[in-house]
Amino acid sequence: MASKTTNPFVFLQQVRAETAKVTWPSRREAMISTVMVLVFAVIAMIFFFTADVAMGYAIERLLSLGH
């Protein structure tokens, strides 16, 4: 596909036209999505922390069997 140079002003007009086609979320939708992401991040953090501590404990117990 051959590259064709475009006038920067034409490019900005095209960007503006494409941006106008975007369906932007409402403030409420954005807030709900943000809260959901934060809640799931905390849940993942708790899960991985618990798994790490449990595996560390299990490995520590296995390694101490030889002493």
Side-chain angles (χ1 to χ4, degrees), residues 48-63:
F48 285 114
F49 176 77
T50 305
D52 182 53
V53 169
M55 284 187 266
Y57 177 75
I59 290 172
E60 189 70 33
R61 296 289 290 169
L62 283 173
L63 292 176

Side-chain angles (χ1 to χ4, degrees), residues 1-50:
M1 185 167 130
S3 165
K4 191 167 116 175
T5 59
T6 304
N7 182 345
F9 297 108
V10 173
F11 174 74
L12 290 175
Q13 287 175 340
Q14 291 172 348
V15 168
R16 185 178 228 178
E18 289 298 319
T19 304
K21 295 177 187 178
V22 174
T23 303
W24 298 100
S26 67
R27 178 178 290 270
R28 184 173 189 272
E29 290 171 333
M31 290 301 292
I32 289 172
S33 297
T34 301
V35 169
M36 287 175 52
V37 167
L38 292 175
V39 167
F40 281 108
V42 168
I43 290 170
M45 176 187 66
I46 291 169
F47 170 78
F48 285 114
F49 176 77
T50 305

